[in-house]
């Protein structure tokens, strides 16, 4: 059996709004750091590639 190594994807989504650079962030709803602002991210599942993982993480947020 090949050992499973957890790998995560973290997304930095940038846009310009009202002539200012903005980043997409969300407020954490679980520990650790509950209530703090964070970038979207999560672990890549065994059956998905990087683009699929990024799409899933954004959809979950």
């Amino acid at each position: 059996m090949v050992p499973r190594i957890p790998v995560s994807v973290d997304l930095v989504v940038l846009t310009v709004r009202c002539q200012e650079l903005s980043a997409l962030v969300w407020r954490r709803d679980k520990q650790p750091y509950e209530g703090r602002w964070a970038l979207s991210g999560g672990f890549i599942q065994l059956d998905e590639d990087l683009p699929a993982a990024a799409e899933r993480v954004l959809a979950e947020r």
Side-chain angles (χ1 to χ4, degrees), residues 13-24:
V13 180
L14 302 173
T15 188
V16 176
R17 297 179 65 177
C18 300
Q19 298 182 340
E20 291 187 359
L21 183 64
S22 300
L24 179 65

Side-chain angles (χ1 to χ4, degrees), residues 10 25-42 61:
D10 295 299
V25 295
W26 63 285
R27 195 175 297 272
R28 293 182 58 93
D29 57 358
K30 297 179 184 170
Q31 290 294 335
Y33 310 114
E34 183 176 2
R36 293 276 186 91
W37 292 107
L39 296 172
S40 293
R61 301 288 181 248

Side-chain angles (χ1 to χ4, degrees), residues 1-8 42-48 53 56:
M1 174 182 254
V2 177
R4 181 172 179 217
I5 300 170
V7 177
S8 67
F43 288 103
I44 299 174
Q45 297 174 356
L46 290 175
D47 62 341
E48 64 187 357
R56 176 184 51 80

